[in-house]
Amino acid sequence: MAEKTKEQIKIGGIDETKYSMDTHLIYGKSVSDKWDYSHHVTAPISSSTTFRLDSVERGAQGFMQFANTEEFGDKAPIFIYDRLGEPNKDMLEENLAYVEKGEMAVSFASGMGAIAAVLGILTKPGDEIISHNTLYGCTLSLLSNWYPRYNIKWSPFDLTDPANIYNFVTPNTKVIYFESPANPNLEIIDIEVVSKIVKELNKDRSEADKIYVVIDNTFSTPFCQRPIEHGADFVVHSLTKGIGGFGTDMGGAVIGRKKFQDVLHLYRKDFGAVLNPKSAWSILTYGLPSLALRQRHQIKTAVRVAEFLNSHPKIEFVNYPGLPNRKGYETAKKQMIDFNGNFAPGSMIYFVLKGATPAESKEYGIKFMDYVANRAYTMTLAVSLGHTRTLIEHPASMTHSVVPPEKLAERGLDAGGIRLAIGLENPDDILLDLDESLKVI
Ligand SMILES: *Cc1c(COP(=O)(O)O)cnc(C)c1O
């Protein structure tokens, strides 16, 4: 191995721990074993599906080391083929693990790729997954449409009361899965309490029968909430949203304990949902370094918008984790905390239009959305979130259209419910557009 240059020693010698997380998001790890890019200010895009091996022996060594951290530790990897690992993904993963306070991260092609992977490594036929009854639409579809084919049972119930776990858990339960705030109604679940209950239950279970707590932290981003600090085993992300931040790339990640890194790598190798290196590079270069700045602006705007909506006569109620008097406010205050210790209630708002009947509310929802789609400059009718632009959608007719109308309430949804994902605009302009648009109903 070549001797380190003076610059490398200097860079490697910096005590990174004394700097804040906001700054870490920009610099990441100043030196990575994954690749020596210490002379680039911005990491280069590595775009190579396959890697040259100096000898058969090096190839053999590479295959031996792959997904074998127990024996080989985390030493500089021998890259073989993109699907097994390559520099851009690996560098992004190091930074994601760091910011989520996990021991390791494994990236995937999309958020759903990451969710399917973590559930895939934790379950087998005969097992059971318990979840909150309100979930991201495709996660709901994965659990209700696909898993029964593999004889993996799904039991949804109201996790806002964590004591319910005692009533629903069975010897076959392997995973407790939820989002907090939940999509799309922003219900809050107490991560610490759920994790404590599961720890208690695990005391009487063998290693193979342990229950794992998996949390989809997409809505909060690690800026607002780090579930592993509150006792969760795994965090999953759609990097497509707030972490990516610009709506240009899809991606996903699973973050958790080191001992699951190998099996996640093996799963990713064989199921194939690998993150495109160019997308990994974008998220590493643009998404993470701007995360704190974007989130701080979006939270400030979201607080103002939520307060405006909350006092509007045409609105039944607003769910925003930062509004006092809403159910879950105290829990949100406890667990949604930014890197500097401030309450960080996020950039998502859910509000419900008034209507005499659910049918009328839904009709108002459609009318309002159609007006917004054509006349509002600062709100775009589109799914997704964590974008530079404020995005707005009507779950009952869009993201959650898989839920039959008579089951909306069961899934925690309202016919007139609107999901608003705040962007980077001037907040005054969003308020102007909302005020105008609400006049049509
Ligand atoms: C978007 C989203 C997902 C899925 O992520 P993709 O990157 O679209 O696959 C999962 N969970 C939540 C909460 C999301 O918003």
Side-chain angles (χ1 to χ4, degrees):
M1 212 183 195
E3 255 186 67
K4 284 195 171 171
T5 63
K6 258 192 194 145
E7 288 80 18
Q8 277 175 313
I9 291 165
K10 185 169 144 253
I11 295 167
I14 292 173
D15 174 11
E16 293 169 2
T17 56
K18 65 184 179 193
Y19 300 100
S20 69
M21 186 64 89
D22 299 16
T23 297
H24 274 293
L25 286 174
I26 295 159
Y27 288 86
K29 291 194 169 284
S30 59
V31 169
S32 170
D33 286 338
K34 306 299 180 190
W35 199 14
D36 170 15
Y37 66 99
S38 57
H39 293 96
H40 292 76
V41 174
T42 300
I45 301 182
S46 165
S47 190
S48 183
T49 54
T50 189
F51 293 82
R52 190 180 71 83
L53 298 160
D54 306 318
S55 63
V56 169
E57 194 197 335
R58 184 175 159 87
Q61 182 72 18
F63 278 107
M64 211 147 61
Q65 281 185 22
F66 173 71
N68 201 351
T69 46
E70 201 172 316
E71 202 170 323
F72 295 98
D74 222 9
K75 64 178 180 175
I78 297 175
F79 293 121
I80 297 171
Y81 187 65
D82 183 341
R83 188 154 33 72
L84 278 61
E86 58 73 47
N88 284 156
K89 279 198 278 291
D90 288 9
M91 286 190 288
L92 172 66
E93 287 165 0
E94 280 184 337
N95 287 354
L96 285 171
Y98 190 70
V99 69
E100 269 292 359
K101 307 278 179 161
E103 292 172 3
M104 63 85 204
V106 177
S107 63
F108 290 88
S110 66
M112 288 316 301
I115 292 165
V118 74
L119 296 177
I121 64 158
L122 295 176
T123 58
K124 59 181 187 323
D127 289 346
E128 202 173 292
I129 297 168
I130 282 178
S131 85
H132 183 50
N133 46 24
T134 306
L135 285 175
Y136 179 71
C138 299
T139 308
L140 202 62
S141 171
L142 178 71
L143 294 169
S144 61
N145 293 329
W146 291 96
Y147 279 17
R149 292 166 54 141
Y150 310 129
N151 192 26
I152 295 168
K153 201 177 153 213
W154 169 55
S155 315
F157 67 88
D158 181 7
L159 264 176
T160 60
D161 180 4
N164 271 332
I165 293 172
Y166 294 116
N167 304 328
F168 284 82
V169 77
T170 75
N172 298 328
T173 305
K174 292 291 159 59
V175 175
I176 299 205
Y177 185 97
F178 60 94
E179 302 149 4
S180 181
N183 177 55
N185 63 6
L186 305 185
E187 282 173 328
I188 302 290
I189 294 161
D190 193 320
I191 300 168
E192 196 182 347
V193 171
V194 169
S195 303
K196 271 194 183 140
I197 291 174
V198 170
K199 213 165 249 162
E200 272 304 308
L201 293 168
N202 277 341
K203 275 190 185 150
D204 302 325
R205 290 178 171 235
S206 71
E207 199 53 42
D209 285 334
K210 290 233 184 302
I211 305 170
Y212 293 98
V213 177
V214 180
I215 295 174
D216 181 340
N217 202 33
T218 302
F219 271 27
S220 296
T221 80
F223 180 82
C224 298
Q225 177 174 279
R226 292 155 305 281
I228 290 170
E229 287 183 332
H230 302 288
D233 296 297
F234 291 94
V235 165
V236 290
H237 271 290
S238 167
L239 303 175
T240 317
K241 314 293 174 51
I243 292 183
F246 295 86
T248 56
D249 294 273
M250 298 207 76
V254 177
I255 297 133
R257 284 203 287 284
K258 195 88 195 169
K259 69 172 189 176
F260 295 100
Q261 187 172 4
D262 288 346
V263 66
L264 282 165
H265 278 154
L266 290 169
Y267 186 98
R268 184 176 69 179
K269 171 177 81 70
D270 296 340
F271 283 83
V274 285
L275 179 64
N276 177 342
K278 296 181 189 88
S279 297
W281 179 87
S282 291
I283 297 163
L284 181 73
T285 306
Y286 304 121
L288 281 179
S290 61
L291 177 69
L293 198 62
R294 287 185 287 107
Q295 285 288 312
R296 244 185 236 115
H297 179 83
Q298 288 175 344
I299 292 167
K300 243 191 217 158
T301 305
V303 168
R304 275 190 65 196
V305 170
E307 281 167 359
F308 165 81
L309 292 169
N310 202 33
S311 59
H312 198 285
K314 288 183 181 167
I315 287 168
E316 183 77 40
F317 70 87
V318 181
N319 245 0
Y320 176 65
L323 282 181
N325 308 325
R326 290 306 310 170
K327 195 182 162 212
Y329 176 68
E330 290 305 322
T331 307
K333 261 181 96 166
K334 185 177 72 169
Q335 65 194 23
M336 298 186 80
I337 302 291
D338 74 14
F339 301 139
N340 307 310
N342 307 305
F343 183 31
S347 58
M348 301 296 294
I349 300 169
Y350 180 75
F351 62 98
V352 177
L353 303 172
K354 270 188 190 158
T357 61
E360 192 178 68
S361 297
K362 186 166 178 177
E363 197 186 306
Y364 285 164
I366 292 167
K367 206 167 160 189
F368 173 71
M369 297 310 292
D370 278 339
Y371 183 87
V372 165
N374 294 301
R375 305 294 292 277
Y377 185 54
T378 65
M379 288 185 286
T380 305
L381 175 57
V383 299
S384 202
L385 54 120
H387 202 283
T388 52
R389 297 181 181 208
T390 293
L391 307 179
I392 190 164
E393 70 121 350
H394 183 214
S397 59
M398 295 172 64
T399 46
H400 287 67
S401 54
V402 291
V403 182
E406 69 279 6
K407 294 217 163 165
L408 277 176
E410 210 177 288
R411 294 277 83 82
L413 294 170
D414 305 88
I418 307 282
R419 192 185 81 175
L420 188 60
I422 298 295
L424 296 178
E425 302 88 345
N426 183 324
D428 291 335
D429 295 333
I430 299 173
L431 291 176
L432 182 88
D433 274 341
L434 273 172
D435 190 45
E436 289 276 305
S437 307
L438 282 165
K439 287 184 182 142
V440 300
I441 57 163

